[in-house]
Amino acid sequence: KAGVTQTPRYLIKTRGQQVTLSCSPISGHRSVSWYQQTPGQGLQFLFEYFSETQRNKGNFPGRFSGRQFSNSRSEMNVSTLELGDSALYLCASSSGTGTLGQYFGPGTRLTVT
Amino acid sequence: SQKIEQNSEALNIQEGKTATLTCNYTNYSPAYLQWYRQDPGRGPVFLLLIRENEKEKRKERLKVTFDTTLKQSLFHITASQPADSATYLCALANTNAGKSTFGDGTTLTVKP
C-alpha cells in the first residue's frame, strides 16, 4: 500500500497570509489526524477527522481549521499566519478504531517570515 | 493536566546492548500506549501499540511493557545496532490512536 502523502513538502509564507496543506491517507484508512511539531513544544495534536466529521480537536486557536473529503483526503488551513506558526505539520492516518497505531506522512515544513 | 515524561532526552549505549527507554504519565488513564521512531526531518514511524489490559508486547527485537498501576511503559531494544539510533516517542490515547498525546521523546544513539 502507498503511504501517507502530504503536499507541499515545504512552504514559505508571510505573516498575515493564509495557507492550505493537503494530506492523502493510506487507502482504507478513515481517520486523519493533524499534528504540529516544533522544537519547543514537541508534537501537539491539532484535530482528527473521521468519515468527514471532526471527531477530536486540540487546544489551538480558531485560525487552525480542517476538513475531510469523502475519499478521506484531508486539508488543513491556517489563516492570518503568525511567526509562531512556523513548524513541521504532520498528517497521520489510521483505521480509526484504535486497534492499530497511526501512520505519519513526511510532513509539510512551514516557515512564516 | 495530562503529562507524559520520557526518562531522558538522550541515551547513549554500545552496540549489542539492550536499550531501555521509559515513559511515565500522570493525570491520564490511557486505553492505548504507542511507541514511535522518528528520524531527523521525517515523520514518526509507528512501532508498537499496547492496550491497557496487556502487560507486554513483542515485535522482533522490540519489547514494550505497560504498567497502569505505576503509570509507566518501558520500551526495550535488544541487540541494539547503530541503525537503531533515532528519537523514540511515547504516545497515549484514550478512545483511539487518532487523538494521541505525545511525549517529548528520547534520542537514542547506539555506538559501534
Side-chain angles (χ1 to χ4, degrees):
Chain A
K1 278 185 181 179
V4 177
T5 58
Q6 291 186 245
T7 55
R9 292 292 313 279
Y10 302 92
L11 209 46
I12 300 175
K13 290 285 189 179
T14 304
R15 264 186 308 176
Q17 288 186 314
Q18 76 162 24
V19 66
T20 300
L21 312 181
S22 181
C23 171
S24 292
I26 290 172
S27 177
H29 282 185
R30 295 164 65 189
S31 168
V32 173
S33 299
W34 288 89
Y35 293 85
Q36 180 196 68
Q37 187 171 35
T38 59
Q41 297 297 317
L43 258 170
Q44 301 282 310
F45 172 76
L46 281 156
F47 28 67
E48 180 206 8
Y49 285 86
F50 181 81
S51 294
E52 302 179 65
T53 301
Q54 188 180 83
R55 185 160 69 171
N56 287 294
K57 189 176 189 305
N59 296 322
F60 278 81
R63 299 185 297 106
F64 293 82
S65 63
R67 59 178 175 167
Q68 186 180 34
F69 303 95
S70 58
N71 61 359
S72 292
R73 191 177 69 86
S74 177
E75 287 183 347
M76 188 192 100
N77 185 76
V78 187
S79 62
T80 319
L81 283 166
E82 299 177 0
L83 295 178
D85 296 334
S86 295
L88 180 66
Y89 289 89
L90 292 158
C91 161
S93 79
S94 65
S95 64
T97 63
T99 55
L100 293 174
Q102 299 175 88
Y103 294 84
F104 283 82
T108 294
R109 173 71 63 184
L110 172 64
T111 302
V112 182
T113 62
Chain B
S1 62
Q2 298 169 353
K3 193 172 182 181
I4 301 173
E5 285 186 352
Q6 295 194 236
N7 59 325
S8 58
E9 285 189 13
L11 181 65
N12 299 313
I13 65 167
Q14 209 66 35
E15 182 176 8
K17 300 292 186 184
T18 296
T20 299
L21 285 65
T22 305
C23 174
N24 294 296
Y25 58 92
T26 55
N27 298 323
Y28 210 127
S29 296
Y32 308 99
L33 190 145
Q34 311 146 73
W35 284 90
Y36 292 82
R37 166 186 174 139
Q38 187 172 26
D39 292 286
R42 294 179 165 239
V45 174
F46 170 66
L47 297 174
L48 283 166
L49 178 148
I50 187 166
R51 297 183 181 85
E52 61 180 337
N53 60 350
E54 297 175 315
K55 297 294 184 187
E56 181 179 300
K57 186 165 272 191
R58 293 174 186 256
K59 179 183 175 183
E60 297 172 354
R61 296 184 295 112
L62 309 179
K63 184 177 88 170
V64 173
T65 63
F66 191 12
D67 189 326
T68 55
T69 302
L70 290 179
K71 294 187 183 293
Q72 180 182 79
S73 173
L74 298 178
F75 177 77
H76 306 274
I77 305 175
T78 58
S80 60
Q81 306 164 1
D84 294 327
S85 298
T87 296
Y88 291 86
L89 300 162
C90 164
L92 280 63
N94 278 330
T95 53
N96 69 80
K99 182 190 177 187
S100 291
T101 302
F102 282 79
D104 289 336
T106 296
T107 298
L108 173 67
T109 301
V110 181
K111 298 183 178 179

